[in-house]
């Protein structure tokens, strides 16, 4: 009836998440999402409740009362303590039980292990593995840029393996087809690619030939229609949890003009082996005309990806052994990412941070 | 395509019901629920059809025609025989086939095993195990009281393990929190408890200090507001299938005044390892003012329990080995009940009835 | 995350389909269903996309792009090529990739294996097994009759094992009960049966005594009410995928009058172990008065079968080992069919076509 009596200190690997490294920082929420109402998330198969203390600090506890396993997120805050809705036990941000209504003494064993959490950039990062190994130096760099406009922010759940979704974000040929008519007019899939990587980071760059932007592109990116522009699409990934897509227009005929740059942070975290979370947050270097319209397009694009990825997951689940992926050159970045994240999971512990190459600096 | 050809006489244990003793009486329905319309229930993983003969006796057969496994509950009664909806075979209450339309002779092998059933108190009790061992002496006592009003009667299905639901009914500290504002104003969880048990029965008693009832309590239990009252909450369990909760007010300043007593019978029976049935039937020693209001409150309370227990079941299903229950003193009765029912299941046969201590007699 | 790396050339047997022979022709669609819009079907656990080329030929490919496993049925046709919706790769009816937008060269390995398909009679027949063994001589005979009216045509999905549905179509006693009041007034289940079979074909015949038709029968089959008629119900099966039910009225008092004959082709093909497709197409030798009414009745009858078969499947899934079928004489044809199809599956390869006895010729 309960979980089998395994060694509770052994790291728990949820079914299907053999490739998800536990001893890494994963995005658990955007900073905005966490407040005084307890927020329940499942991170790498672990149910976790997030809330802010009265001082504004983020706390993360197992979303499961140690008494009878009631989700603590069903309870409510009394000061900094979360009160369980079932029998009223109260737990502090340190996971210790501070009050049991039916008895005076609280045994020291009545406690749960808090998860290390850090607010960094736009996100709340959580370390699902061994708390002793949690090292803020392993957090990836922030993409904040002075003077850039933030204009879109949303979250979705996708019923697929997290690597499939991340690989989609390191694949700059699919927009031409899956998102046909939304972002480019077909030249992107044809342009040459460049892949750079170290052991925790990857960057895929495609750059088109200089050309006058068509109307859709000019409007989306606030470009002058009479200037030739080079479009670079740069897909970056900081393993294991954050992907970023940068679209940058430069003007070869006016080298002094500042580039028009759109940076979208797209973290991905598995809830479990069959579901993952995707966040989307964009900033732009140029004044935005129609932020609602851009948000609508981005949501539509994400929905197209979700439909495709969930259908692919269905095909995989059918179990036909003839269902084998055949890769092409355009998949290089995705395949390297897959190996990188799997390698981290196999290493089974926090990799020491690799050298130089980090967040995109034009 | 069919069930594997095991020894059909070996007792069938449904997945997750290792702790449910087969050779015991279980509530299958309230007496009111069984009539001339065939009623389908699943009891300990066995699909069973219940109906009344023309003489009013309860019959219980596998809800599965031995010909092509059609649920017999889809058929209809012809006198005392149940006719299968698929090919029209007819079966008597003894499980023997009495008519096959496509041939004159009915082979003696065309039969199903009826289940022993007894009407007792408000309930129809069924013996899912070996019929040879079915012993009416093992039925628990009836709670009928002369002159008491019956005022509520309903049934619900709960997607959790049956022991979790029964343990909830042997836990008198959760109403203060899970049912906050409905039954007490917080003093119950703090009052001392007493646990009595023999090998088939358990009783948990909590008694508050004498006090003037507040308005809600006075109204719910028809108490005078100017008399101090002692509230006793008595949770009783007759293993394996029936729980009872008794709320009794006595008046220390007027020892001759009759107590106000509310007795709720709350049988629980597993349909399978993931679903159980709960019934609720209450009687009261005092004239009831607002029976509809009380029924509404009881349904709301049951719904709160259902939400909590189903959420807990979800947490258990996640498989995180860190999901371990830590018990406190208030859990003594629930833990003893769990061991008692498991012990019965392991004994694997009808326990001989234990001695004295039985239904609550004030 | 992907299917385990088995030998992709080993035949894939979907769970629950051990009894479905792979090296046989199965109905995948009616001819009408396949056009220029890609049609997705699952045949013996294999997801398959069907479409017509510009020349009108039927193509059948795995419904799964070899690149990243996107269902090809989500794409669209460019001439005779199916373009994948994800990254725009294009595949011809021969399964070869003809275009990859992100690179000039298409590697020869980027291909999928087309399935053999044949249009024959009303149906598109597909060979899910080894293409080398696909032999059009194994197709069963067509039931087209000159001058007969076609009047009904529909398709349904049934959540049961395919053999259960096929056996239902070789059982002429259930209409009296499951379809009570629709087709006969009870005499069919009582009339004598005759069973003929060879190794790929079976025929079950029941014939009533001559009698004046009642009003319902006269109206349904355009019979004169003043002529005695003999009703023959002939259930035929061509293993493994097509069942046929023929109702034929002959007039013993006017031997020269042509029989009134209704022929219904009822192919069944498993999508997977828990779901099968059923088609229905009828032709009649006599002028039809109320084709809409007949279609309605046939759909109602099919829905009754679906309800029954799905309930039976539920009972089987419960796993109670006491759920054992006991057969009677009326089950002879169904049992022989079951053995015939299982035998084909075990033989594991195309049986050579058996001798004479084939489609019903009055
Ligand atoms: S389950 Fe949380 S206090 Fe009991
Ligand atoms: S299944 Fe009940 S009579 Fe055939
Ligand atoms: S999945 Fe079909 S082209 Fe990539």
């Amino acid at each position: 009836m309960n979980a089998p009596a395994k060694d509770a200190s052994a790291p728990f690997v949820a079914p299907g998440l053999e490739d998800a490294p536990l001893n890494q920082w994963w995005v658990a929420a955007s900073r905005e999402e966490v407040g005084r109402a307890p927020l329940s998330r499942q991170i790498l198969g672990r149910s976790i409740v997030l809330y802010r203390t009265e001082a504004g600090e983020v706390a993360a506890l197992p979303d499961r009362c140690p008494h009878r396993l009631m989700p603590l997120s069903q309870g409510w805050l009394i000061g900094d303590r979360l009160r369980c809705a079932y029998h009223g036990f109260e737990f502090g941000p340190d996971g210790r039980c501070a009050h049991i209504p039916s008895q005076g003494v609280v045994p020291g064993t009545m406690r749960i292990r808090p998860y290390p959490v850090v607010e960094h950039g736009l996100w709340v990062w959580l370390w699902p593995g061994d708390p002793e190994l949690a090292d803020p130096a392993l957090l990836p760099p922030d993409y904040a840029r002075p003077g850039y406009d933030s204009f879109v922010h949303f979250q979705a759940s996708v019923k697929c393996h997290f690597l499939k979704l991340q690989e989609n974000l390191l694949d700059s040929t699919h927009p031409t087809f899956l998102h046909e008519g939304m972002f480019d007019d077909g030249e992107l899939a044809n342009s040459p690619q460049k892949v750079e990587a170290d052991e925790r980071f990857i960057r895929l760059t495609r750059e088109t030939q200089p050309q006058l932007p068509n109307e859709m592109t000019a409007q989306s990116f606030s470009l002058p229609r009479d200037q030739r522009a080079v479009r670079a699409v740069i897909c970056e990934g900081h393993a294991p949890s954050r992907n970023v897509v940068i679209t940058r227009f430069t003007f070869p005929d006016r080298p002094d003009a500042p580039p028009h740059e759109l940076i979208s942070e797209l973290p991905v975290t598995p809830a479990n082996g069959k579901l993952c979370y995707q966040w989307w947050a964009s900033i732009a270097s140029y004044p935005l005309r129609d932020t609602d319209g851009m948000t609508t397009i981005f949501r539509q694009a994400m929905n197209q990806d979700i439909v495709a990825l969930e259908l692919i997951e269905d095909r995989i689940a059918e179990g036909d052994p003839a269902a084998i992926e055949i890769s092409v050159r355009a998949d290089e970045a995705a395949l390297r990412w897959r190996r990188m994240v799997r390698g981290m999971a196999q290493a089974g512990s926090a990799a020491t941070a690799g050298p130089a190459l980090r967040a995109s600096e034009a």
Side-chain angles (χ1 to χ4, degrees), chain A residues 187 207-213 217 223-232 248-253 260:
Chain A
E187 78 277 25
E207 215 171 77
T208 63
Q209 291 300 310
Q211 58 188 304
L212 290 177
T217 304
L223 303 175
R225 292 219 49 184
D226 57 355
Q227 292 288 331
R228 292 195 316 153
V230 168
R231 179 205 296 242
R248 182 185 298 137
F249 290 87
T250 47
F251 308 99
D253 305 329
H260 278 209

mmCIF file of all heavy atoms in Angstrom, chain A residues 187 207-213 217 223-232 248-253 260:
data_model
loop_
_atom_site.group_PDB
_atom_site.id
_atom_site.type_symbol
_atom_site.label_atom_id
_atom_site.label_comp_id
_atom_site.label_asym_id
_atom_site.label_seq_id
_atom_site.Cartn_x
_atom_site.Cartn_y
_atom_site.Cartn_z
ATOM 1 N N GLU A 187 14.199 30.359 -45.832
ATOM 2 C CA GLU A 187 15.641 30.384 -46.091
ATOM 3 C C GLU A 187 16.458 29.824 -44.920
ATOM 4 O O GLU A 187 17.611 29.440 -45.084
ATOM 5 C CB GLU A 187 16.101 31.806 -46.469
ATOM 6 C CG GLU A 187 16.256 32.784 -45.337
ATOM 7 C CD GLU A 187 14.935 33.436 -44.954
ATOM 8 O OE1 GLU A 187 13.844 32.858 -45.199
ATOM 9 O OE2 GLU A 187 14.991 34.537 -44.383
ATOM 10 N N GLU A 207 22.952 31.568 -40.122
ATOM 11 C CA GLU A 207 22.936 32.964 -40.537
ATOM 12 C C GLU A 207 22.511 33.023 -41.996
ATOM 13 O O GLU A 207 23.102 32.337 -42.837
ATOM 14 C CB GLU A 207 24.348 33.530 -40.384
ATOM 15 C CG GLU A 207 24.382 34.973 -39.970
ATOM 16 C CD GLU A 207 25.809 35.404 -39.626
ATOM 17 O OE1 GLU A 207 26.585 35.627 -40.586
ATOM 18 O OE2 GLU A 207 26.132 35.488 -38.439
ATOM 19 N N THR A 208 21.528 33.845 -42.313
ATOM 20 C CA THR A 208 21.079 33.948 -43.705
ATOM 21 C C THR A 208 21.949 34.949 -44.468
ATOM 22 O O THR A 208 22.689 35.738 -43.875
ATOM 23 C CB THR A 208 19.621 34.420 -43.788
ATOM 24 O OG1 THR A 208 19.562 35.732 -43.228
ATOM 25 C CG2 THR A 208 18.692 33.498 -43.034
ATOM 26 N N GLN A 209 21.813 34.968 -45.785
ATOM 27 C CA GLN A 209 22.431 35.996 -46.620
ATOM 28 C C GLN A 209 21.727 37.330 -46.366
ATOM 29 O O GLN A 209 20.554 37.361 -45.995
ATOM 30 C CB GLN A 209 22.260 35.621 -48.106
ATOM 31 C CG GLN A 209 23.078 34.406 -48.517
ATOM 32 C CD GLN A 209 24.567 34.634 -48.310
ATOM 33 O OE1 GLN A 209 25.116 35.644 -48.733
ATOM 34 N NE2 GLN A 209 25.205 33.709 -47.598
ATOM 35 N N PRO A 210 22.434 38.446 -46.588
ATOM 36 C CA PRO A 210 21.779 39.764 -46.425
ATOM 37 C C PRO A 210 20.617 39.896 -47.397
ATOM 38 O O PRO A 210 20.728 39.500 -48.551
ATOM 39 C CB PRO A 210 22.888 40.770 -46.779
ATOM 40 C CG PRO A 210 24.167 40.000 -46.796
ATOM 41 C CD PRO A 210 23.829 38.563 -47.020
ATOM 42 N N GLN A 211 19.501 40.383 -46.928
ATOM 43 C CA GLN A 211 18.363 40.610 -47.826
ATOM 44 C C GLN A 211 17.432 41.627 -47.203
ATOM 45 O O GLN A 211 17.444 41.859 -45.996
ATOM 46 C CB GLN A 211 17.621 39.310 -48.112
ATOM 47 C CG GLN A 211 17.109 38.604 -46.875
ATOM 48 C CD GLN A 211 16.552 37.243 -47.224
ATOM 49 O OE1 GLN A 211 15.670 37.129 -48.052
ATOM 50 N NE2 GLN A 211 17.089 36.213 -46.597
ATOM 51 N N LEU A 212 16.582 42.225 -48.049
ATOM 52 C CA LEU A 212 15.546 43.126 -47.536
ATOM 53 C C LEU A 212 14.503 42.272 -46.820
ATOM 54 O O LEU A 212 14.093 41.244 -47.350
ATOM 55 C CB LEU A 212 14.900 43.895 -48.691
ATOM 56 C CG LEU A 212 15.798 44.947 -49.360
ATOM 57 C CD1 LEU A 212 15.062 45.604 -50.545
ATOM 58 C CD2 LEU A 212 16.231 46.006 -48.338
ATOM 59 N N PRO A 213 14.091 42.686 -45.623
ATOM 60 C CA PRO A 213 13.103 41.873 -44.889
ATOM 61 C C PRO A 213 11.730 41.959 -45.562
ATOM 62 O O PRO A 213 11.378 42.996 -46.122
ATOM 63 C CB PRO A 213 13.066 42.517 -43.505
ATOM 64 C CG PRO A 213 13.542 43.910 -43.708
ATOM 65 C CD PRO A 213 14.509 43.880 -44.869
ATOM 66 N N THR A 217 8.421 39.923 -41.418
ATOM 67 C CA THR A 217 9.650 39.988 -40.619
ATOM 68 C C THR A 217 9.904 41.417 -40.143
ATOM 69 O O THR A 217 10.230 41.652 -38.972
ATOM 70 C CB THR A 217 10.839 39.475 -41.461
ATOM 71 O OG1 THR A 217 10.540 38.165 -41.917
ATOM 72 C CG2 THR A 217 12.122 39.442 -40.641
ATOM 73 N N LEU A 223 12.023 46.192 -38.038
ATOM 74 C CA LEU A 223 13.130 46.458 -38.950
ATOM 75 C C LEU A 223 12.722 47.493 -39.996
ATOM 76 O O LEU A 223 11.565 47.531 -40.425
ATOM 77 C CB LEU A 223 13.526 45.170 -39.693
ATOM 78 C CG LEU A 223 13.923 43.974 -38.841
ATOM 79 C CD1 LEU A 223 14.164 42.759 -39.739
ATOM 80 C CD2 LEU A 223 15.175 44.305 -38.030
ATOM 81 N N PRO A 224 13.684 48.335 -40.433
ATOM 82 C CA PRO A 224 13.400 49.196 -41.588
ATOM 83 C C PRO A 224 13.296 48.327 -42.847
ATOM 84 O O PRO A 224 14.107 47.421 -43.043
ATOM 85 C CB PRO A 224 14.623 50.119 -41.647
ATOM 86 C CG PRO A 224 15.701 49.407 -40.904
ATOM 87 C CD PRO A 224 15.040 48.502 -39.910
ATOM 88 N N ARG A 225 12.293 48.613 -43.679
ATOM 89 C CA ARG A 225 12.080 47.764 -44.854
ATOM 90 C C ARG A 225 13.095 48.047 -45.955
ATOM 91 O O ARG A 225 13.239 47.276 -46.891
ATOM 92 C CB ARG A 225 10.663 47.951 -45.393
ATOM 93 C CG ARG A 225 9.631 47.382 -44.416
ATOM 94 C CD ARG A 225 8.504 46.685 -45.101
ATOM 95 N NE ARG A 225 8.915 45.723 -46.106
ATOM 96 C CZ ARG A 225 8.078 45.048 -46.877
ATOM 97 N NH1 ARG A 225 6.773 45.253 -46.755
ATOM 98 N NH2 ARG A 225 8.492 44.186 -47.767
ATOM 99 N N ASP A 226 13.804 49.196 -45.877
ATOM 100 C CA ASP A 226 14.713 49.541 -46.970
ATOM 101 C C ASP A 226 16.169 49.225 -46.649
ATOM 102 O O ASP A 226 17.061 49.669 -47.348
ATOM 103 C CB ASP A 226 14.554 51.032 -47.303
ATOM 104 C CG ASP A 226 14.819 51.901 -46.086
ATOM 105 O OD1 ASP A 226 15.035 51.333 -44.970
ATOM 106 O OD2 ASP A 226 14.800 53.128 -46.227
ATOM 107 N N GLN A 227 16.414 48.503 -45.579
ATOM 108 C CA GLN A 227 17.777 48.136 -45.214
ATOM 109 C C GLN A 227 17.958 46.636 -45.356
ATOM 110 O O GLN A 227 17.171 45.867 -44.790
ATOM 111 C CB GLN A 227 18.055 48.491 -43.737
ATOM 112 C CG GLN A 227 18.097 49.975 -43.460
ATOM 113 C CD GLN A 227 19.348 50.628 -44.013
ATOM 114 O OE1 GLN A 227 20.396 49.966 -44.119
ATOM 115 N NE2 GLN A 227 19.243 51.894 -44.404
ATOM 116 N N ARG A 228 19.012 46.200 -46.018
ATOM 117 C CA ARG A 228 19.307 44.780 -46.046
ATOM 118 C C ARG A 228 19.728 44.335 -44.646
ATOM 119 O O ARG A 228 20.402 45.072 -43.926
ATOM 120 C CB ARG A 228 20.442 44.492 -47.025
ATOM 121 C CG ARG A 228 20.068 44.729 -48.495
ATOM 122 C CD ARG A 228 21.086 44.093 -49.414
ATOM 123 N NE ARG A 228 22.447 44.390 -48.923
ATOM 124 C CZ ARG A 228 23.497 43.628 -49.150
ATOM 125 N NH1 ARG A 228 23.375 42.509 -49.864
ATOM 126 N NH2 ARG A 228 24.688 43.938 -48.695
ATOM 127 N N ALA A 229 19.285 43.134 -44.269
ATOM 128 C CA ALA A 229 19.613 42.626 -42.929
ATOM 129 C C ALA A 229 20.093 41.179 -43.037
ATOM 130 O O ALA A 229 19.679 40.434 -43.921
ATOM 131 C CB ALA A 229 18.400 42.711 -42.007
ATOM 132 N N VAL A 230 21.011 40.851 -42.129
ATOM 133 C CA VAL A 230 21.414 39.443 -41.968
ATOM 134 C C VAL A 230 20.700 38.921 -40.723
ATOM 135 O O VAL A 230 20.784 39.528 -39.656
ATOM 136 C CB VAL A 230 22.947 39.331 -41.788
ATOM 137 C CG1 VAL A 230 23.318 37.912 -41.334
ATOM 138 C CG2 VAL A 230 23.663 39.708 -43.073
ATOM 139 N N ARG A 231 19.978 37.809 -40.880
ATOM 140 C CA ARG A 231 19.317 37.227 -39.714
ATOM 141 C C ARG A 231 20.184 36.087 -39.188
ATOM 142 O O ARG A 231 20.535 35.169 -39.927
ATOM 143 C CB ARG A 231 17.943 36.679 -40.110
ATOM 144 C CG ARG A 231 17.204 36.024 -38.923
ATOM 145 C CD ARG A 231 16.186 34.983 -39.358
ATOM 146 N NE ARG A 231 15.118 35.547 -40.135
ATOM 147 C CZ ARG A 231 13.834 35.524 -39.769
ATOM 148 N NH1 ARG A 231 13.473 34.942 -38.648
ATOM 149 N NH2 ARG A 231 12.922 36.040 -40.561
ATOM 150 N N ALA A 232 20.522 36.163 -37.911
ATOM 151 C CA ALA A 232 21.193 35.035 -37.257
ATOM 152 C C ALA A 232 20.213 34.434 -36.260
ATOM 153 O O ALA A 232 19.565 35.162 -35.511
ATOM 154 C CB ALA A 232 22.454 35.488 -36.535
ATOM 155 N N ARG A 248 18.845 37.591 -34.113
ATOM 156 C CA ARG A 248 19.563 38.859 -34.159
ATOM 157 C C ARG A 248 19.681 39.324 -35.612
ATOM 158 O O ARG A 248 20.140 38.584 -36.486
ATOM 159 C CB ARG A 248 20.957 38.689 -33.555
ATOM 160 C CG ARG A 248 21.774 39.989 -33.517
ATOM 161 C CD ARG A 248 23.190 39.738 -33.013
ATOM 162 N NE ARG A 248 23.191 39.229 -31.661
ATOM 163 C CZ ARG A 248 23.965 38.238 -31.221
ATOM 164 N NH1 ARG A 248 24.822 37.655 -32.046
ATOM 165 N NH2 ARG A 248 23.894 37.836 -29.975
ATOM 166 N N PHE A 249 19.264 40.560 -35.862
ATOM 167 C CA PHE A 249 19.393 41.158 -37.196
ATOM 168 C C PHE A 249 20.514 42.175 -37.163
ATOM 169 O O PHE A 249 20.508 43.083 -36.322
ATOM 170 C CB PHE A 249 18.086 41.835 -37.619
ATOM 171 C CG PHE A 249 16.985 40.849 -37.898
ATOM 172 C CD1 PHE A 249 16.169 40.407 -36.872
ATOM 173 C CD2 PHE A 249 16.796 40.341 -39.184
ATOM 174 C CE1 PHE A 249 15.165 39.493 -37.129
ATOM 175 C CE2 PHE A 249 15.787 39.426 -39.446
ATOM 176 C CZ PHE A 249 14.972 38.992 -38.402
ATOM 177 N N THR A 250 21.453 42.030 -38.101
ATOM 178 C CA THR A 250 22.483 43.053 -38.261
ATOM 179 C C THR A 250 22.362 43.631 -39.669
ATOM 180 O O THR A 250 21.763 43.005 -40.552
ATOM 181 C CB THR A 250 23.900 42.471 -38.042
ATOM 182 O OG1 THR A 250 23.998 41.255 -38.797
ATOM 183 C CG2 THR A 250 24.133 42.156 -36.574
ATOM 184 N N PHE A 251 22.911 44.819 -39.846
ATOM 185 C CA PHE A 251 22.670 45.576 -41.073
ATOM 186 C C PHE A 251 24.001 45.808 -41.772
ATOM 187 O O PHE A 251 24.718 46.759 -41.442
ATOM 188 C CB PHE A 251 21.956 46.880 -40.727
ATOM 189 C CG PHE A 251 20.724 46.643 -39.894
ATOM 190 C CD1 PHE A 251 20.765 46.806 -38.514
ATOM 191 C CD2 PHE A 251 19.538 46.197 -40.486
ATOM 192 C CE1 PHE A 251 19.636 46.552 -37.737
ATOM 193 C CE2 PHE A 251 18.414 45.947 -39.715
ATOM 194 C CZ PHE A 251 18.454 46.125 -38.340
ATOM 195 N N PRO A 252 24.393 44.979 -42.729
ATOM 196 C CA PRO A 252 25.735 45.056 -43.335
ATOM 197 C C PRO A 252 25.996 46.389 -44.033
ATOM 198 O O PRO A 252 27.147 46.814 -44.113
ATOM 199 C CB PRO A 252 25.742 43.887 -44.331
ATOM 200 C CG PRO A 252 24.313 43.517 -44.545
ATOM 201 C CD PRO A 252 23.592 43.895 -43.302
ATOM 202 N N ASP A 253 24.924 47.050 -44.468
ATOM 203 C CA ASP A 253 25.125 48.315 -45.175
ATOM 204 C C ASP A 253 25.262 49.494 -44.210
ATOM 205 O O ASP A 253 25.610 50.590 -44.610
ATOM 206 C CB ASP A 253 23.960 48.567 -46.143
ATOM 207 C CG ASP A 253 23.771 47.397 -47.103
ATOM 208 O OD1 ASP A 253 24.784 46.736 -47.441
ATOM 209 O OD2 ASP A 253 22.613 47.113 -47.476
ATOM 210 N N HIS A 260 19.150 44.425 -34.024
ATOM 211 C CA HIS A 260 17.845 44.158 -33.395
ATOM 212 C C HIS A 260 17.880 42.726 -32.879
ATOM 213 O O HIS A 260 18.048 41.793 -33.646
ATOM 214 C CB HIS A 260 16.706 44.343 -34.412
ATOM 215 C CG HIS A 260 16.309 45.772 -34.572
ATOM 216 N ND1 HIS A 260 15.051 46.168 -34.925
ATOM 217 C CD2 HIS A 260 17.024 46.915 -34.394
ATOM 218 C CE1 HIS A 260 14.985 47.488 -34.990
ATOM 219 N NE2 HIS A 260 16.176 47.963 -34.678
#
